[in-house]
Amino acid sequence: MNSLGPEGEELANKLLKRKGYEILKRNYKLSIGEIDIIAKDGECLVFVEVKTRLNMQFGKPFEAVNAAKQKKIRRLAEAFLLQKDLCFNGVRFDVISILIGPEKTTIEHIKNAF
């Protein structure tokens, strides 16, 4: 099993906690897919997609969150909201882009990514 995805998600989780986010759910799964992290930023519910790569051979990690992936995440978010009886002042979709290099790791948090 490839440990790159879980490693990136753990880095993203730690970053969000340092920024004061409350992690509500990790790896929310339905038959149509998965949302990596669902968190609360103040009164805003944030759905976070984490993309991790070892190099830029296929572009920056966040570039993999294309229109089809965004549509899937929106559908999953809608299902989560319908399933839970939670009240928030807003909903946001963020992407955390992680490049794990041989000498340093770069993490970019893109708020309101889509």
Side-chain angles (χ1 to χ4, degrees):
M1 181 178 153
N2 184 350
S3 67
L4 189 59
E7 181 180 350
E9 288 173 17
E10 186 58 33
L11 289 170
N13 189 59
K14 288 178 181 177
L15 171 74
L16 293 172
K17 284 183 176 181
R18 279 195 311 271
K19 289 184 169 190
Y21 288 57
E22 177 186 345
I23 307 302
L24 301 178
K25 181 82 175 157
R26 289 179 66 178
N27 306 111
Y28 174 73
K29 294 178 187 174
L30 292 177
S31 60
I32 61 168
E34 174 183 321
I35 294 177
D36 296 322
I37 299 172
I38 301 171
K40 189 175 172 187
D41 179 21
E43 292 301 313
C44 185
L45 183 64
V46 185
F47 295 94
V48 183
E49 176 67 12
V50 180
K51 286 296 177 191
T52 308
R53 292 194 174 154
L54 294 174
N55 58 54
M56 298 225 317
Q57 181 179 354
F58 299 105
K60 293 183 178 183
F62 70 83
E63 293 173 334
V65 186
N66 58 26
K69 182 70 172 174
Q70 292 173 21
K71 182 178 179 181
K72 185 182 288 189
I73 293 168
R74 283 189 184 102
R75 287 180 56 208
L76 286 158
E78 183 178 312
F80 178 84
L81 290 167
L82 289 172
Q83 187 181 60
K84 308 292 180 183
D85 186 24
L86 303 170
C87 185
F88 296 94
N89 284 339
V91 172
R92 192 174 80 216
F93 296 92
D94 291 3
V95 173
I96 295 182
S97 179
I98 302 172
L99 186 60
I100 299 176
E103 296 174 15
K104 80 173 194 177
T105 296
T106 304
I107 302 175
E108 185 177 2
H109 181 186
I110 305 164
K111 291 183 178 181
N112 284 314
F114 56 94

